[in-house]
Amino acid sequence: MSDPTETSGTAGAAESAESAQAGGGERRVRVVLVDDHRMFRTGVQAEIGQTEQTGVEVVGEAADVDQAVTVITATRPEVVLLDVHLPGGGGVEVLRRCAPLMADTEQPVRFLALSVSDAAEDVIGVIRGGARGYVTKTITGTDLVDSIFRVQEGDAVFSPRLAGFVLDAFASTDAPPVDEDLDRLTQREREVLRLIARGYAYKEIAKQLFISVKTVESHVSAVLRKLQLSNRHELTRWATARRLV
């Protein structure tokens, strides 16, 4: 979370962070972190969880769908930072099971997707599921704090590039076509596919997705087998033809 070129698409991020400190820290938001990578959760906690400075209080964490629903129900945070790809059904399943909490008019729980994925189908899927926004993991800590407060207040927040996906999806009355080949792949395999097609080396993919190089190799092998392709060059052409890159 360090790339200054990727922001939440909101003005005055620095002012929001400063206002969290103003007035003796009166501005507060309770947050649950949902991500299956413990090291990433630890990093986010260190980045935004200094409550006296940021106004953000991390009240719980979860690594899969069942844990997420349990923790969110127990703590009733104002905002949930939700990864899209989770064991047990993914972020969309968390949203489905937490629908009554989102609909609570007295104390609504709002969701902000925070994911490495910038794929249109992932963005559209969680927004249709009820999330109030979607930012990628390259967002800065200051902008993430700003996005959390914006979502708490009921605003919709997106990384700049991703807002267009949502506008296009909801402006169209036609359902997107089903790609049977793509549907054979798991969410993690799709992530690896896109990064391979963009020219990332295995080590770079492993670092980006917080997995081992060996796991990357296994995913690539599975993708090639399912799509009946021979090598990464064919895979790149396949992904480019479907505008997945």
Side-chain angles (χ1 to χ4, degrees), residues 189-200:
E189 287 168 355
R190 294 184 192 188
E191 290 179 342
V192 172
L193 163 65
R194 289 188 182 90
L195 293 174
I196 284 286
R198 291 172 183 173
Y200 283 68

Side-chain angles (χ1 to χ4, degrees), residues 59 77 103 244:
V59 297
L244 300 177

Side-chain angles (χ1 to χ4, degrees), residues 1-17 47-48 54 56 81 112 114 135-136 138-151 157-160:
M1 287 194 323
S2 60
D3 185 351
T5 64
E6 178 77 306
T7 72
S8 63
T10 58
E15 287 85 345
S16 291
E47 187 84 14
I48 70 171
T54 65
V56 175
L81 288 181
L112 173 62
L114 175 63
V135 294
T136 59
T138 53
I139 191 172
T140 65
T142 300
D143 287 332
L144 181 57
V145 170
D146 180 72
S147 297
I148 290 169
F149 277 108
R150 290 288 303 277
V151 167
V157 180
F158 299 93
S159 294

Side-chain angles (χ1 to χ4, degrees), residues 24-218:
E26 294 177 358
R27 195 181 190 205
R28 289 284 189 269
V29 58
R30 299 169 69 253
V31 172
V32 165
L33 306 178
V34 181
D35 193 288
D36 60 338
H37 297 107
R38 182 180 58 81
M39 290 182 63
F40 181 76
R41 296 198 309 272
T42 300
V44 173
Q45 169 81 289
E47 187 84 14
I48 70 171
Q50 303 300 315
T51 308
E52 293 305 313
Q53 285 71 46
T54 65
V56 175
E57 180 186 3
V58 178
V59 297
E61 299 181 14
D64 60 35
V65 170
D66 288 340
Q67 287 179 15
V69 174
T70 298
V71 172
I72 293 166
T73 302
T75 60
R76 296 298 292 267
E78 281 94 17
V79 177
V80 178
L81 288 181
L82 180 68
D83 193 11
V84 175
H85 305 305
L86 293 168
V92 172
E93 179 63 14
V94 175
L95 292 164
R96 186 187 69 80
R97 291 168 61 177
C98 290
L101 301 180
M102 288 189 283
D104 188 332
T105 57
E106 296 294 326
Q107 189 182 353
V109 176
R110 296 188 168 103
F111 287 79
L112 173 62
L114 175 63
S115 178
V116 69
S117 173
D118 60 1
E121 63 264 28
D122 289 335
V123 179
I124 294 165
V126 295
I127 297 305
R128 282 180 171 156
R132 296 293 305 174
Y134 195 117
V135 294
T136 59
K137 289 181 178 179
T138 53
I139 191 172
T140 65
T142 300
D143 287 332
L144 181 57
V145 170
D146 180 72
S147 297
I148 290 169
F149 277 108
R150 290 288 303 277
V151 167
Q152 179 198 26
E153 293 162 2
D155 289 348
V157 180
F158 299 93
S159 294
R161 178 174 176 270
L162 307 184
F165 294 157
V166 180
L167 291 173
D168 290 345
F170 287 93
S172 173
T173 56
D174 298 325
V178 175
D179 189 323
E180 294 182 0
D181 290 332
L182 191 60
D183 283 349
R184 294 193 186 100
L185 306 182
T186 66
Q187 293 289 354
R188 181 63 84 191
E189 287 168 355
R190 294 184 192 188
E191 290 179 342
V192 172
L193 163 65
R194 289 188 182 90
L195 293 174
I196 284 286
R198 291 172 183 173
Y200 283 68
Y202 284 7
K203 287 184 179 180
E204 293 172 323
I205 296 172
K207 183 178 180 181
Q208 182 88 352
L209 299 181
F210 300 94
I211 57 179
S212 69
V213 173
K214 191 170 184 179
T215 301
V216 174
E217 292 173 349
S218 297

